[in-house]
Structures are given as structure tokens and as C-alpha cells.
Amino acid sequence: MPTLPKLPRPPQIGLLKGLGVTLKTMMSPSTTQQYPHVKPDLPPRTRGVIALMEENCTVCMLCGRECPDWCIYIDSHKEVVPPKEEGARARTRNVLDRFAIDFALCMYCGICVEVCPFDALFWSPEFEYSTYSIRELTHEKEQLRVWMDTVPPPPELDVGADLPKEIEDGLKAARQAAEKAAAAAAPSEAPAAAGKAGGDAPAAQAAEEDIHVEAQVDQEVFDQLVAEGKSERVARAKAKAAYVRKEKARIRAERAGGEG
């Protein structure tokens, strides 16, 4: 049976479908933000721009060497630092003269922030630094330092996590200072007690030196060490030392009992 030819669809159907989509979109709420009148709500760790804490930079050049775009420019000079103590040698250190980032080349990979060993580079959520000239996208250290004010504080540590090394060092220094202050404020009886104890120490040491024990092999200790896999030479030496300790302890106990 011959098939009937398919009749073409009237063009009005496609037009009606398009108008239906238009009407549906017109009735739905708009999701477009009217920037710059309405600021976007960005996450606090947004990679907006790289900020510099100049006082932490040691001009190690690690960020510049690791940058895949070579968009970091660093200049420095050396200066001599006088010694802190008499007789010590003077040191030389690098002083940062220029630190600039060309954000026209930067691809915001964050490698420089990750590899910096002295925490001198940070991510700032600031993103409003567009210009009309590509030359103005190279920002110097002064502007990078201004962006440090917009860097969010680090997140809280997890429960049970180790404190950062800087905080541990600070707490240790504080404890040492408190101990020194407590020792300086201790009553004067402490030196007297220390002197008395110091006077008794030579007598106790002399009594200890009077105890002479002939070294012999403690067979029980020797057999135990050999069973643990020690060589006979090592086991014999440790067994003799154990025998001497036991005999000295026994003699001291007998003397203490006789004095009591």
C-alpha cells in the first residue's frame, strides 16, 4: 500500500512555541545581579588577588622561580647587619626593593602562595582592580600591601590539632620567662636549703665510692639476654653491670638499716 506524503507543519506552530518560552521566562524571577550596584556574595577564600606581607619576605626568589608565567618581578640589595654580640661576625641580608605582580599575565594558579616558605603571600578576595590600560595591571608592593587588609583570618584549628610552631615557640618562651620570674621571687631559704643539700651530696658520693663490689656474671640476666638474641660478649657485660647494681643496692640497704 503506498504511503501518503507527509504534510509540512504550519510555520505558526514554531512561532507559538517560541512565544511560549518567552512568556515563561518573562514570568520567572531574574537571577542576574546588577553589578556594580549589587555586590556579589563571594566565598571568603575567593582567589581574587595576591597580597604581600612585605616584612615576611626574605627575597628567597622561590615564588619568582616557580611562577609558570614569570609574572613576578623582584629587586633587592644586600646590607650588612652589625653583630649582636661583641666578637661575633657581621651578617649580610637581602633587603626588598621591588616586588611587583603583572596580573595581565597571572593565571591565578596560586603556586607562589603555596611555595612561599615564610608566609609572605596570601589570597585576598578583592577583585575590583580592573583598569583601562593593560600596563596598569602591574601592581607594586605598596598596592599589594594594601590588599593585605582584605585577607580573611585563617580558619580555626580542628579539635586536637597541633598548634603552629610559632605559637608553640611563643608559649615556650612565656613559660620560661614565668619560671625565671618565679625563681627570682623565691624566698631566701631556697639558697640555704640548696647549700645544705650541696653539703650532703659530697658525703653521699663518698659513701657511694666506699662500696666496692667485685664484678661477677649474673647468670639469670645473662641467660635472658642470650635468649633475646644478644651476643655473649654484650650479654656478659650487661650481666656483670646488673650484678654490681644489685650488690650495691643490697649493701646500701644494709647500711641504712644499721644506721636506723
Side-chain angles (χ1 to χ4, degrees):
M1 180 177 180
T3 58
L4 297 175
K6 190 175 182 180
L7 297 176
R9 298 175 61 184
Q12 292 80 5
I13 295 180
L15 178 61
L16 293 176
K17 285 186 177 181
L19 291 175
V21 173
T22 302
L23 292 174
K24 182 180 178 181
T25 306
M26 289 176 61
M27 299 302 176
S28 61
S30 176
T31 57
T32 304
Q33 291 183 343
Q34 301 299 321
Y35 179 82
H37 304 290
V38 179
K39 300 294 183 181
D41 186 14
L42 300 176
R45 295 291 168 183
T46 300
R47 293 188 175 188
V49 73
I50 297 173
L52 170 69
M53 184 176 288
E54 183 179 349
E55 53 269 26
N56 287 1
C57 181
T58 61
V59 201
C60 65
M61 306 295 292
L62 191 59
C63 57
R65 291 196 299 266
E66 296 296 331
C67 178
D69 290 334
W70 290 78
C71 63
I72 300 177
Y73 312 114
I74 303 175
D75 293 330
S76 66
H77 71 276
K78 293 183 180 293
E79 69 176 16
V80 178
V81 180
K84 297 181 179 180
E85 300 178 357
E86 185 178 357
R89 293 188 303 174
R91 299 182 298 108
T92 59
R93 68 174 182 180
N94 292 323
V95 179
L96 183 65
D97 293 330
R98 185 195 183 202
F99 193 105
I101 300 178
D102 187 356
F103 287 99
L105 298 177
C106 179
M107 63 180 184
Y108 303 90
C109 63
I111 292 178
C112 57
V113 179
E114 296 295 332
V115 302
C116 179
F118 302 103
D119 291 336
L121 296 175
F122 297 87
W123 277 113
S124 166
E126 181 65 33
F127 64 94
E128 295 179 313
Y129 55 93
S130 59
T131 62
Y132 291 101
S133 174
I134 194 173
R135 296 183 180 89
E136 297 178 2
L137 286 175
T138 301
H139 293 285
E140 301 292 335
K141 62 179 181 178
E142 290 77 14
Q143 180 60 41
L144 301 180
R145 184 62 182 87
V146 171
W147 282 328
M148 273 300 303
D149 298 335
T150 62
V151 174
E156 295 292 336
L157 295 176
D158 295 336
V159 178
D162 295 335
L163 292 175
K165 184 177 183 300
E166 296 81 2
I167 298 179
E168 289 185 352
D169 294 342
L171 294 176
K172 183 178 179 181
R175 286 194 298 267
Q176 291 177 353
E179 291 174 358
K180 289 182 179 179
S188 58
E189 289 81 3
K196 183 178 179 181
D200 296 340
Q205 184 177 2
E208 181 71 18
E209 292 177 354
D210 289 341
I211 302 176
H212 296 286
V213 177
E214 184 178 355
Q216 297 182 14
V217 176
D218 190 327
Q219 193 63 37
E220 182 180 356
V221 176
F222 177 80
D223 295 339
Q224 181 180 357
L225 293 174
V226 171
E228 293 177 357
K230 303 291 184 181
S231 64
E232 292 187 2
R233 182 176 61 84
V234 175
R236 187 176 294 105
K238 291 188 175 183
K240 288 183 178 181
Y243 176 82
V244 171
R245 287 195 298 270
K246 288 181 180 179
E247 287 298 310
K248 285 187 176 182
R250 181 182 62 80
I251 295 173
R252 283 196 297 268
E254 291 178 355
R255 289 182 178 180
E259 293 176 358

